[in-house]
Amino acid sequence: MDGLEQWTNQLQQWVHEAETWVHQIPASQLYAALCALFLTTAFLLLIHLKRFYVYNILGNGICQKKNLFFLLIFLSCLIIAVRLFKRTQSNTIVLAGLSASGKTVLFYQLRDGSSHQGTVTSMDPNEGSFVLHSESTKKGKIKPVHVVDVPGHSRLRPKLDEYLPQAAGLVFVVDAVEFLSNCRAAAEYLYDILTKASVVKRKIPLLILCNKTDKVTAHTKEFIRKQLEKEIDKLRASRTTVSAADIANEFTLGVTGEAFVFSHCHNKVTVAEASGLTGEISQVEQFIREHVKP
Amino acid sequence: MAECTATPAPICKGDKFSEKDCPQNALEKKRMENIPHASVVRSLMYAQTCTRSDISFVVGMLGRYQSNPGMEHWKVAKKVLRYLKGRRHYMLTYRRIVLEMLEQLLIFTRGGLILWTCKELGNALKGSPIDTLIRSCLLEERSGAASFNYDAPGAAYTLKWTFHNDLGLIFVAVYQRILHLLYVDDLLSMVKHEFSQIYDPKRRAYNDFDDIFRQLQKEAEARAEEIKKSKQVMRPTNALGKKQGHAAIQKAGSEGGNTQKTSGSMKDGGDAKGRNLENGHSNGHRTGIKESFAGGVVTGKENEGSNGRAFDVNKLQKLRNKGAKKIDTVVSKAPKVEPKKKITKKNRVWDDSLPESKLDFTDPVDEKGDEYRPVVEADQGESMMDREEIISSESETDEDEEVGKDNKLNTKKHGWFSSMFQSFLQFPTFSIAGKANLEKSDLEPALKALKDRLMTKNVAEEIAEKLCESVAASLEGKKMASFTRISSTVQAAMEEALVRILTPKRSIDILRDVHAAKEQRKPYVVVFVGVNGVGKSTNLAKVKSTHFFYFNGFDLKGLPTDWMELCSNATLQVAYWLVQHEISVMMAACDTFRSGAVEQLRTHARRLQIPIFEKGYEKDPAIVAKEAIQEASRNGSDVVLVDTAGRMQDNEPLMRALSKLIYLNNPDLILFVGEALVGNDAVDQLSKFNQKLADLSTSPNTRLIDGILLTKFDTIDDKVGAALSMVYISGAPVMFVGCGQSYTDLKKLNVKSIVKTLLK
């Protein structure tokens, strides 16, 4: 009995691995491969059907089994394809924010519960599907979270657009210590995110995470929220007036004629605190679990 | 002495030496003759100067009596030896100097997680050289460069790096700039090689790599020393390059020359604009097969002749017959290429022995060749392919002619299909599952084609070159995805790089900045700088045409026949744009160099109803600007637009004046006004402008160009390369694009469409 359980566990693990592997392959390749598979099976099926009829005419029923076998293959292919392309509820959480705000550390805190030997500026996104580290001791089946850490360097920001369409939640990380010097840049980035069509239309919930709160000089989250609102309010004024030809932002923010507050946004915006380095990230985990049900 | 007991000290307190201890009579002298005192002392002296400075006192004392040692001295000498025995393991150690010269070595992922650092080196780096490296070098598509210099207060580092693209790892070595470490490249490549073997994406700590690293470092040092000894001027032979060379050759050999064939044919394809590919296609797949087959055979022979020989000879015989036939057609059909082809034909020796001796690269005798081997190999491959081409396919020459006419069209049409087909042939096992790791030689043809394409779009050659290098560095060693081909992979990488470059680093929302300045009750100062595109009044014809060109839109018939400068024109456009957004603008006419400039600006300003600040021509522009800013803060203008004289980047006095203007007024924005028409000159203009501004500035914090305004953007069609060149060289974003002569023709750059145009 024990052995059986082990086997099923093993099997489940394999299935999971296979699924993650499949998810890593670009969609276009998958389509191509599946097309090839379908065509061949359909082709074989056709041939066999033909033969089957011929045999039927001859009154020979032996081939029926073989035919069934091919039908089965065809069906299973279909099922796999349907499962692959069925849009399951997204479990992607995107970490965004300025460079050096602590996204990569947060990513590894969520994943491994440690920041390892430190980090440097990211050049590529970090991606991973995993059960949150704090939940890894819990029993029972927990749905893994797909977390993406998008580099904060302004040159790499276009990458964010790749992940937003599948995001179930967005964490905007802000450095609470060096906040004032980065306030405008952060507000601009946040404004860009909040006006993106993919965010507005799908109402992706956003968490503004004030990181590095373990430091004494860190600003409070209320202060940061107010400053960001103020900055965005100014941005709104200047952005809407820029000539229409180059507008990248598809939507306007908030209620016109009123000072901007985050509650005006189409999507839910909340503010939380965390400290990536010391591992106090319970509020992030809570946010993640609100939007990716375990 | 071997069994003696150790003593705690080499000399006891109170031990004294004197002449008395020296042998006084013949007997004593005789006794001392048998004692090897002198040699012992000499050995001790050696030890003392090298590793045991703790015995220097006593050895010094003993040395005084070298000429006539006595029994007492001998006893002391023995005592020293006994002391040394007890402390045999204590010594001054001299780590090789190089050990201390490396400041730090890091291994991290592209995602930014540090996997391993050398704890032994452990020196805390001053500032953040790694982050700076990534931000200002690797992310700016400058990773093709050899090294990066980092300056922090109290430290000047040089950084070298290498990528492992397949695993997404970056290896960075940091060392003091003053030291020219020869072995760093070598060490990095060795570290890369070793680390990639133990790397596991799931593992986070690599403590066991410490030992391996120590070993590697020793090796690298030893090699560096050797190189120093042998006085080779060459840089340390890149161990990896060597290894790769071997590996490539072995692989090529084992695969029957398939790999080489790729490099050869691809390179050739690049050179002759995909001539090869087209041939393969247009002649039907039959020729393609033959070609690749023959290629495989030849290269196979090249590398391990004996294996493939038995099998090629008859094949080649057939081909030669065909070739003989072919030559006739060559002569008749392609007279242009004829002489060259004849020569190649003559050179072609199908005997087994000769090419082998020439092309056998597995023999590492030639030391100098080490570094260049891969290149040489590729070259040979190419020339082989050239010859092969003549022989193998029937309608080749027809193709050649056609290629001459419209090769571009053909490449586009046939490129995909034929290369797909070829890849199927060459990598029968990998074509679906994804190709093996990309090598530089695989990338070269695609990169070359891409570079040419960029250059046809008016991108400066230097920059196209650098970009391609950087893209190559980012792709080398990567695994190719299935159902893709090299050129599309390269193109995708290039597209990503271009988007990255053109995406502005700083905010280009001037209005936002203006509002910010307004809050601080300070006028926002913009200085327009730029070259003068035309040869001034000396070149009247040009002036007239420019004048016509520029005045069309403004409709200024009543003005004196003087022309408007780019700079002023841009200033006016920006001024108009700002006024449109309800910002009060003031212009400062600081072009005190060109006659008529002030009047011109005044006329336009009146037309736009913008206040203008002017002080005639005699004044120093820096002072005019200063007064203008003071005036603006008095009357509450939000923005001051400072129009300066256009100047050539080489004009020292004018550049000095500009530097002074900038230093004195500390503007919020320095806009460089450039023509979108320039090609290679763009690099020169911007880099010299920036350099002059940096060199001639008297203040410690130098100001460089913050943004670019491209004019005449409407006249360039798809030749948008200047935008890329300028942004790449200066790192400043294109803030505006002027696409017409009227006030309203100011736009923002659309990065996506520019990238699309560049790669079209």
Side-chain angles (χ1 to χ4, degrees), chain B residues 575-612:
Chain B
Y576 182 75
W577 177 72
L578 286 171
V579 169
Q580 290 265 299
H581 292 119
E582 293 161 2
I583 288 168
S584 59
V585 180
M586 192 172 93
M587 289 202 282
C590 291
D591 188 353
T592 56
F593 186 72
R594 183 169 61 89
S595 59
V598 174
E599 287 85 352
Q600 223 172 36
L601 202 65
R602 194 194 300 142
T603 319
H604 282 288
R606 223 171 268 158
R607 191 169 298 243
L608 292 171
Q609 292 175 335
I610 293 171
I612 180 166

Side-chain angles (χ1 to χ4, degrees), chain A residues 17 29 32-33 99-100 104 108 111-112 115-126 149 153-156 158-159 161 184 188 231 234-235 238-239 241-243 245-246, chain B residues 108 110-117 130-131 134-135 138-140 170 201 204-205 481-483 496 499-505 507 509 511-513 515-516 519 581 731 748:
Chain A
E17 269 175 25
Q29 286 179 32
S99 206
T104 309
Y108 283 103
R111 175 173 153 163
D112 306 326
S115 58
H116 302 293
Q117 301 172 46
T119 56
V120 292
T121 309
S122 303
M123 295 166 71
D124 271 350
N126 290 304
D149 154 36
H153 192 275
S154 48
R155 293 233 195 264
L156 298 172
K159 289 244 187 234
D161 299 334
R184 274 180 55 193
E188 267 167 38
E231 281 298 324
K234 288 176 202 158
L235 270 176
S238 71
R239 286 290 167 97
T241 50
V242 177
S243 60
D246 51 82
Chain B
F108 52 89
R110 283 184 73 87
L113 184 72
I114 297 173
L115 292 175
W116 184 83
T117 56
I130 307 289
D131 285 347
I134 294 169
R135 276 175 213 171
L138 304 187
L139 285 177
E140 304 276 318
I170 299 158
R204 306 274 161 236
S482 0
F483 293 111
E496 205 169 290
V499 170
R500 211 180 306 160
I501 290 170
L502 289 169
T503 309
K505 257 192 299 187
S507 151
D509 190 354
L511 291 174
R512 175 78 200 82
D513 296 340
H515 285 300
E519 274 163 31
H581 292 119
K748 290 213 170 171

